[in-house]
Amino acid sequence: MEPAADSAGGEVQPPGECRRRARRPPLTGPSDQALGRLAGWYAIALRLGGAVLFTAVAILAATKQVSGWWLAGALTALCLWSALFTWRVRRSGLTATVVLADAAVISALALAQQHLVPAPLIEGNTTWMLPLACTSVYILQIALRPRLGLPAAGIVVIAYGLGAGDLADGWLLVVETIVAAGLVAVIRGGARQADAIVAAGLDTERQIRAEEARRADERAQHRQLHDTVLSTLTMVAAGAFAGPSPALHAQAARDLRVLQGLASAPATPGGLAPLTDLRPELERAAASTDELAVRLELVPVTLPSPVADQLAACVGEALRNVERHAGTGQADVTVTGGAGWAIVKITDRGRGFDPAATPPARRGIRESITGRMLAAGGRAAITSRPGAGTTVTVSWPA
């Protein structure tokens, strides 16, 4: 719980903070803020409820020895101040000014208690002024730091003792002050400790997310390199091009554009990405293979632009894998889906393979297809066995 203005720069938040914010530094953490709001309501309940209760008790306890004019004036002042106190706390918070003003009002009433309370009640220390003074002590301790709350409570105790005719009559208020200050200190310490633990956890989570984002960016670049430069170099090394080839020239030009895009691509802005038609993306992916005949079965599908790009890149990589490894010149791409979802199957009737036997060093399926779809929030599944062809299924959302 953060104290008022004398504390480390904060104030207790008012219950009606959403209506109007005073110019003051924010509280230190969510626990402090929650305790501050609770303290505001607690202070209002003490002052407003106390005014109603003690007015009724004072009237019932009044005798002929008590001046009606004194009692009426004091109770009217108490009720008016309680209403003003409630309004100020709801408007500006449980500030040091309003809390000290409350202590001054209660102290003034305590000094005048011999005119308000029958003498036998004062002598028996059963006056209604005692619990009224206790409410001021409680409010001081929950709103102010001890360096200000304790001296202010001391003034209330002295005023009560002087009004009762003997300073020793305030001993119960001294006990109440010590107990309240101790409890509030324990609660404040627990709140700050909880906030520190939560803040440390959030900081750790931010660091983890930042590291995950960095690694995801590295994986995305590795996929781009695998799908472009490394793929082209692998084909050249395997002797796919015996001499100058227009297809090799076109592929190299596409690879160069991809590499340039890695360095110049702007960051994706926050918020929801617009939906885009998936069909043109898939048609371009199918056209990226020169030696493979691709049969497309498309339906209207719209996906967020980044997702469509990633899904089409997965399809392109799957088709290039068919071209390089399947030993067939035909592949089928079948699309089902609609607005905001898609399932794409890439099927060939080639030689197939055993996915479980794929070496860990082979990154084509694991990173360029499965990893890419997982990063985009989708799924990828590869079904194949030797001699039975291969089916790659990519879908979004997962």
Side-chain angles (χ1 to χ4, degrees):
M1 181 188 305
E2 190 68 20
D6 72 303
S7 65
E11 288 181 347
V12 176
Q13 293 283 358
E17 180 68 21
C18 59
R19 300 180 182 180
R20 177 172 178 175
R21 294 185 179 272
R23 294 181 179 178
R24 59 186 183 275
L27 296 175
T28 57
S31 297
D32 268 342
Q33 294 172 7
L35 289 173
R37 288 189 293 270
L38 181 61
W41 285 113
Y42 182 68
I44 288 174
L46 282 177
R47 182 53 57 239
L48 201 58
V52 175
L53 175 62
F54 298 133
T55 297
V57 172
I59 294 173
L60 293 175
T63 64
K64 293 182 179 180
Q65 299 175 350
V66 176
S67 170
W69 290 105
W70 271 93
L71 186 61
L75 294 179
T76 300
L78 175 62
C79 292
L80 290 176
W81 166 248
S82 299
L84 178 61
F85 179 89
T86 299
W87 176 75
R88 288 294 300 178
V89 172
R90 287 183 58 82
R91 181 175 182 269
S92 302
L94 201 55
T95 62
T97 301
V98 71
V99 171
L100 293 176
D102 179 75
V105 171
I106 302 304
S107 296
L109 292 174
L111 287 171
Q113 65 177 305
Q114 291 185 0
H115 300 281
L116 306 175
V117 182
L121 297 181
I122 296 178
E123 293 174 0
N125 209 19
T126 57
T127 167
W128 55 267
M129 192 63 67
L130 179 61
L132 179 63
C134 284
T135 62
S136 178
V137 167
Y138 295 152
I139 292 173
L140 286 168
Q141 301 316 305
I142 65 175
L144 304 179
R145 284 284 178 88
R147 66 189 180 198
L148 184 57
L150 291 177
I155 294 175
V156 176
V157 172
I158 294 172
Y160 176 83
L162 292 175
D166 187 354
L167 288 177
D169 288 345
W171 69 269
L172 184 58
L173 287 177
V174 174
V175 174
E176 295 282 356
T177 299
I178 295 173
V179 172
L183 289 176
V184 171
V186 171
I187 293 173
R188 284 174 179 162
R192 292 193 179 96
Q193 185 177 11
D195 286 337
I197 293 173
V198 171
L202 291 176
D203 185 63
T204 301
E205 183 179 358
R206 283 193 294 268
Q207 294 178 2
I208 292 174
R209 290 185 180 276
E211 181 64 18
E212 289 176 347
R214 184 186 66 80
R215 291 179 179 178
D217 184 65
E218 290 180 352
R219 288 193 297 268
Q221 293 189 21
H222 291 162
R223 295 184 196 114
Q224 293 278 28
L225 292 174
H226 177 275
D227 297 350
T228 56
V229 177
L230 295 179
S231 177
T232 303
L233 293 176
T234 299
M235 296 176 67
V236 172
F241 304 98
S245 169
L248 177 60
H249 183 272
Q251 181 65 40
R254 287 193 295 268
D255 294 349
L256 179 59
R257 287 194 296 270
V258 170
L259 292 177
Q260 291 171 340
L262 288 177
S264 61
T268 302
L272 296 176
L275 296 180
T276 186
D277 190 356
L278 183 62
R279 288 177 295 181
E281 300 263 10
L282 295 181
E283 290 171 351
R284 284 192 290 270
S288 66
T289 58
D290 298 307
E291 305 297 331
L292 185 67
V294 180
R295 184 173 61 185
L296 297 173
E297 296 182 12
L298 306 179
V299 297
V301 171
T302 54
L303 296 175
S305 298
V307 174
D309 293 341
Q310 295 300 315
L311 194 148
C314 291
V315 172
E317 174 62 16
L319 292 175
R320 284 188 288 273
N321 284 341
V322 173
E323 186 178 33
R324 292 195 296 264
H325 307 298
T328 180
Q330 176 73 41
D332 298 328
V333 176
T334 305
V335 179
T336 56
W341 69 282
I343 300 175
V344 182
K345 292 186 177 182
I346 305 96
T347 305
D348 71 79
R349 296 176 178 82
R351 60 173 61 98
F353 68 102
D354 182 3
T358 303
R362 296 284 299 275
R363 303 173 59 90
I365 293 176
R366 188 178 70 254
E367 290 292 336
S368 294
I369 298 178
T370 304
R372 178 179 271 127
M373 286 308 301
L374 289 176
R379 295 175 56 188
I382 293 90
T383 303
S384 181
R385 68 176 186 269
T390 302
T391 298
V392 177
T393 304
V394 290
S395 58
W396 193 90

